[in-house]
Amino acid sequence: MKQLRPAVLAGIFAIAGVLSWAGARLWNAYGTLPGVPLAAPIVLAVIAAVLFATALSMRSRLKAQRERRPGAKGVEPLVAARAVVFGQASALVAALVAGMYGGVGVFLLTDALDVPARRDQAWYAGGSVLAGAAVIAAALFLEHVLKLPEDEDPAKARATA
């Protein structure tokens, strides 16, 4: 399984942000811009907490397995693979959602912030960006914890033998 590249996540975040900013400008010009839900940063924060707790649990189980402690559960390969896929999918969605709310937040910050409702929406958008970054960090940590050791290059192994 390939590891998730932070550059891909940054690209998704940037593209979603630019498209969202442009969409917010267009929507605001021809109608009323819908609000940013308060639930967005809360849901992203919960996902980040679940990913982080999963990573810590897997790390302790792997450590117990390596040390061959009696009664250590260890980590089944299929469970590890599913956890990594969950983390990668969560990070990709978080980059998209955080970019989307980041674009809306930038629009709100550059537009009329003298309206109290818009100020609150900008705060919610900023919280979504921070919570999305926390999901990405937790997912990358989970990947790091469950990373398999690299196979030795066969050419290098023959050269040293």
Side-chain angles (χ1 to χ4, degrees), residues 45-149:
V46 168
I47 292 170
V50 167
L51 283 170
F52 188 68
T54 301
L56 291 177
S57 171
M58 294 285 181
R59 185 173 71 171
S60 67
R61 289 172 68 181
L62 285 170
K63 184 178 178 184
Q65 186 178 10
R66 273 193 305 270
E67 294 172 355
R68 299 176 189 228
R69 291 186 200 155
K73 283 187 171 184
V75 177
E76 294 292 323
L78 186 58
V79 172
R82 287 178 178 165
V84 169
V85 168
F86 170 61
Q88 287 181 345
S90 298
L92 289 167
V93 170
L96 183 66
V97 170
M100 182 184 75
Y101 286 128
V104 170
V106 168
F107 170 76
L108 291 171
L109 286 173
T110 58
D111 198 41
L113 265 188
D114 51 337
V115 179
R118 289 250 170 138
R119 200 172 317 123
D120 291 344
Q121 298 300 303
W123 279 106
Y124 299 159
S128 297
V129 171
L130 291 176
V135 169
I136 291 169
L140 291 174
F141 177 59
L142 177 63
E143 254 190 357
H144 173 73
V145 166
L146 295 173
K147 182 179 177 186
L148 292 175

